[in-house]
Amino acid sequence: MDKNEVLKQYFGHSEFRPGQGDIIDHILAGQDCLGVMPTGAGKSVCFQVPALMFSGTSIVISPLISLMKDQVEGLRQSGVNAAFINSSLDLWEYRQVLDNASSGLYKILYVAPERLTADGFLGMCRGLDIPLVAVDEAHCVSHWGQDFRPSYLKISEFVEQLPKRPVLAAFTATATDIVKDDIVRILGLRQPFSVTTGFDRPNLYFEVRPTEQRNKNAVLLGIIREMQGRSSIVYCSTRKNVEAVTDFLRLNGVNVRSYHAGMPDDERRSAQEDFTYDRCNVIVATNAFGMGIDKSDVALVVHYNMPKDLESYYQEAGRAGRDGMRSYALLLVSSDDGERIVRRFEQEFPPLEKIKDIYERVCSYLQVGIGDGAQASFLFNIHDFCARERLYSGTVTSALKLLQQNGYMTLTDAQENPARVMFCVSRDELYKLRVQRDELDHFIRTLLRLYNGVFTEFRPIDEGELATWSGYTVQRVKELLKRLWQLRVIRYIPSNRSPILFMNEERLPRADLYIAPETYKRRQELMRERFEQMIAYAANEQECRSAVLERYFGEENPAPCGVCDICLARKR
């Protein structure tokens, strides 16, 4: 099959979007590529189509767990063998994917960057035919990008250790010139073919509407009613605002759902599906919503609060109008929004000594001593931590992000975690217990037979697997685990939904914790420049909105769109 036939058979499209065909041709010809393609431009097709045309297994590196799951599920529904490896897998699932990949079962394998050096993964890859390594969210490799991740620095090392160098293709939605240079240099792209698709969205109407905070709900309700049931997204800056706006719209008869990272997985999944399949026409969300959402008929995106930078704003606003129909991106601006962004900036950059203090408190909270904890994972409830330590959650979140950017520890999004068990008695003491309590003997033997290493560390277990091999029900298995915990035979953490904190290296003494002050200062300066550009965009009353955005992203001579609020005001 040629690329057009692959596009039609697996993705249901009859033609490529601008830039896609050229990138695919160069990848198929064996040339490295860099694609800067705005949200909705179809980055994933650029690596999925050649991956299906190449022989062997192509690797896609992505930091977004939810996006990975969505894309793999979509590929499977289209008949493509695909899988992912990230922190959401338990040990058994991880080994199962490795075994399947080793036998060449998958055409496309998604992997989180921190897993590139995990036990067995590199060894497995050395035995595979890997024609293509695609790097999604490639801006994460740059210290000057809005979301630097140290784990991305491992990608070039991973590629170098493969027996045959694959084609390397990097993709990002937005990148300044300095970030693009970093992507090429740090990933080691060789004379890449580079494509930046236009940021002009002629069907998207941009408007900034001054609205005092106390009037925002009423204005929003009027706008939603004007849309007459067409799909709309309302972005809020906090979970509290999401809940309040959702409640207000629902009380006024709007068919609305809310979405934010603090909701249980099943509720978020339900809200996303209701919106995707038109069971509700409005979703109110934080920026946790939208990645990988394949819904082309969104007619309206409202920003209830001002985003922190134009990159975030354009990416979120760009989720409207992917079907080519007239659509609207509306920013509600109140007089104190600038002050709110300044406060957010101050929270995102706590003093260096405060970051060190939070690092020490987190390690103590997790009971990790100096010199311990390297490569260990811990359940971490940030709200409980903040309550115990009497710390503001925004400052802690920012400190953890800076610690992640410097390679010390990584906090994942909340996810479903398997149950974990560790024996806290010796083997001799356990044998005596089995003799004394015959009703526990069979279950303990089953547990020991299925899981190794449970005397030395917490090991993930599967209550369903234990039920199958022991002959008990899952409920009975949970009762027996709880009973062993009450007898102080095991330490038992039931399956739960919580973020995982991963220690990239051992706990260091406070004096050895180093965050380069010049890098920290430069990141502060770049962040300040970004939010000043955002404030300037909102305050602008002279220049076409689309032209301002296009120039920000590198277009030299953008033409006025003719349809934004500024252009229409001139026509009047």
Side-chain angles (χ1 to χ4, degrees):
M1 288 193 295
D2 64 21
K3 65 181 182 184
N4 292 292
E5 291 170 328
V6 170
L7 182 71
K8 183 67 175 176
Q9 177 172 331
Y10 291 101
F11 304 98
H13 302 304
S14 56
E15 60 183 30
F16 289 101
R17 295 176 184 174
Q20 288 179 328
D22 291 338
I23 289 179
I24 290 168
D25 287 340
H26 282 81
I27 291 175
L28 291 173
Q31 185 177 1
D32 290 355
C33 290
L34 170 60
V36 182
M37 309 175 75
T39 299
K43 294 187 293 294
S44 59
V45 166
C46 295
F47 52 78
Q48 289 173 345
V49 168
L52 295 176
M53 296 176 69
F54 281 133
S55 62
T57 302
S58 293
I59 303 292
V60 179
I61 299 168
S62 172
L64 304 171
I65 291 176
S66 59
L67 184 60
M68 256 190 241
K69 291 179 178 178
D70 290 344
Q71 291 198 1
V72 166
E73 182 60 31
L75 287 166
R76 287 174 176 170
Q77 289 176 0
S78 299
V80 178
N81 283 332
F84 60 79
I85 291 176
N86 57 43
S87 57
S88 70
L89 301 183
D90 63 31
L91 187 61
W92 183 87
E93 290 170 326
Y94 171 64
R95 288 174 176 169
Q96 187 68 44
V97 173
L98 283 188
D99 288 345
N100 291 340
S102 298
S103 61
L105 179 64
Y106 305 123
K107 285 297 292 179
I108 302 178
L109 180 61
Y110 285 74
V111 61
E114 62 270 13
R115 295 282 158 163
L116 294 174
T117 55
D119 289 345
F121 183 77
L122 180 59
M124 180 272 294
C125 287
R126 283 175 173 154
L128 287 180
D129 173 20
I130 299 177
L132 170 66
V133 171
V135 183
D136 200 10
E137 306 295 325
H139 60 270
C140 295
V141 79
S142 172
H143 281 273
W144 312 125
Q146 68 264 34
D147 193 20
F148 169 64
R149 296 173 185 248
S151 54
Y152 264 62
L153 301 177
K154 300 175 183 178
I155 293 173
S156 60
E157 177 187 342
F158 166 75
V159 171
E160 288 170 2
Q161 294 188 61
L162 297 175
K164 179 184 176 183
R165 187 185 185 277
V167 178
L168 197 54
F171 299 90
T172 181
T174 56
T176 60
D177 288 341
I178 189 173
V179 172
K180 285 191 277 190
D181 290 343
D182 271 0
I183 291 171
V184 172
R185 178 178 57 83
I186 297 171
L187 291 181
L189 300 180
R190 298 178 181 176
Q191 297 180 325
F193 172 72
S194 182
V195 167
T196 300
T197 58
F199 288 85
D200 179 29
R201 295 285 303 279
N203 67 310
L204 187 55
Y205 169 99
F206 288 96
E207 179 185 352
V208 175
R209 189 174 298 186
T211 312
E212 288 307 315
Q213 194 68 35
R214 65 180 179 274
N215 298 327
K216 280 188 177 182
N217 280 355
V219 170
L220 176 63
L221 180 62
I223 294 164
I224 295 293
R225 286 175 171 166
E226 287 176 12
M227 297 308 293
Q228 297 180 338
R230 297 175 69 192
S231 294
S232 305
I233 302 173
V234 180
Y235 280 109
C236 297
S237 60
T238 66
R239 299 175 188 181
K240 181 179 179 181
N241 280 353
V242 166
E243 298 292 350
V245 172
T246 301
D247 289 345
F248 171 80
L249 292 177
R250 186 175 289 128
L251 284 170
N252 283 277
V254 177
N255 185 5
V256 61
R257 294 292 304 268
S258 58
Y259 186 106
H260 58 70
M263 295 164 57
D265 275 351
D266 57 345
E267 287 186 28
R268 283 194 296 169
R269 191 179 304 112
S270 171
Q272 180 175 318
E273 289 176 355
D274 282 354
F275 184 67
T276 301
Y277 298 113
D278 297 321
R279 293 191 288 266
C280 74
N281 59 293
V282 177
I283 192 157
V284 183
T286 61
N287 60 7
F289 180 78
M291 288 294 186
I293 302 302
D294 186 18
K295 185 171 177 61
S296 63
D297 64 345
V298 174
L300 170 70
V301 171
V302 177
H303 280 85
Y304 188 88
N305 305 109
M306 190 186 296
K308 64 181 180 180
D309 53 50
L310 285 173
E311 286 91 345
S312 302
Y313 174 69
Y314 185 84
Q315 187 174 52
E316 291 157 10
R319 293 185 177 123
R322 296 186 187 181
D323 56 1
M325 303 298 290
R326 171 57 61 88
S327 52
Y328 303 86
L330 178 61
L331 173 61
L332 301 181
V333 177
S334 62
S335 57
D336 61 350
D337 274 354
E339 295 175 13
R340 294 172 192 269
I341 291 185
V342 170
R343 288 198 295 271
R344 197 186 314 170
F345 171 80
E346 292 170 349
Q347 292 164 6
E348 289 199 13
F349 287 93
L352 290 176
E353 287 304 312
K354 185 68 172 179
I355 296 170
K356 292 182 178 183
D357 179 57
I358 289 173
Y359 172 83
E360 290 202 306
R361 292 207 207 181
V362 168
C363 291
S364 298
Y365 174 81
L366 298 173
Q367 299 182 341
V368 176
I370 291 174
D372 295 333
Q375 303 297 302
S377 297
F378 303 89
L379 297 175
F380 184 72
N381 185 322
I382 191 169
H383 302 294
D384 179 68
F385 170 74
C386 292
R388 288 194 191 187
E389 300 293 326
R390 297 183 178 179
L391 292 168
Y392 175 60
S393 61
T395 303
V396 172
T397 299
S398 299
L400 289 172
K401 184 174 182 179
L402 288 161
L403 289 166
Q404 175 178 328
Q405 290 167 349
N406 284 271
Y408 293 112
M409 53 179 58
T410 301
L411 183 65
T412 69
D413 293 333
Q415 59 197 38
E416 296 297 332
N417 302 304
R420 294 169 182 252
V421 160
M422 181 174 72
F423 279 93
C424 49
V425 297
S426 67
R427 291 181 183 273
D428 288 341
E429 290 171 320
L430 185 61
Y431 178 76
K432 291 177 183 177
L433 176 75
R434 289 166 55 193
V435 171
Q436 294 169 358
R437 294 182 177 269
D438 185 61
E439 76 280 7
L440 297 174
D441 180 55
H442 171 62
F443 181 69
I444 293 172
R445 283 190 290 111
T446 304
L447 185 60
L448 294 173
R449 187 166 62 247
L450 288 175
Y451 303 103
N452 296 321
V454 287
F455 282 94
T456 56
E457 61 181 337
F458 272 108
R459 305 295 289 185
I461 63 168
D462 184 331
E463 289 114 329
E465 185 179 38
L466 275 168
T468 299
W469 286 96
S470 66
Y472 298 130
T473 64
V474 172
Q475 183 59 37
R476 180 59 178 156
V477 164
K478 291 180 179 180
E479 291 171 357
L480 289 168
L481 288 168
K482 187 174 181 180
R483 180 62 180 147
L484 289 173
W485 171 72
Q486 290 170 336
L487 291 169
R488 299 187 178 181
V489 174
I490 62 171
R491 293 176 65 187
Y492 169 48
I493 302 174
S495 55
N496 63 87
R497 184 181 183 278
S498 174
I500 295 286
L501 192 141
F502 178 75
M503 296 283 290
N504 299 77
E505 57 179 78
E506 66 186 44
R507 178 182 177 179
L508 299 175
R510 184 187 181 102
D512 293 344
L513 189 72
Y514 182 71
I515 297 172
E518 62 277 5
T519 303
Y520 183 78
K521 183 178 179 181
R522 180 59 181 147
R523 288 191 62 80
Q524 277 183 311
E525 292 170 352
L526 286 169
M527 182 67 75
R528 185 178 292 278
E529 287 174 16
R530 286 196 180 103
F531 82 68
E532 286 175 350
Q533 292 276 8
M534 185 70 239
I535 291 172
Y537 172 85
N540 163 50
E541 296 179 350
Q542 301 296 323
E543 188 178 4
C544 166
R545 303 282 181 204
S546 291
V548 171
L549 290 168
E550 290 177 61
R551 185 177 294 106
Y552 180 80
F553 290 116
E555 294 284 343
E556 292 185 2
N557 297 300
C561 69
V563 296
C564 71
D565 57 338
I566 301 291
C567 289
L568 290 178
R570 281 195 187 139
K571 291 179 181 179
R572 300 189 193 108

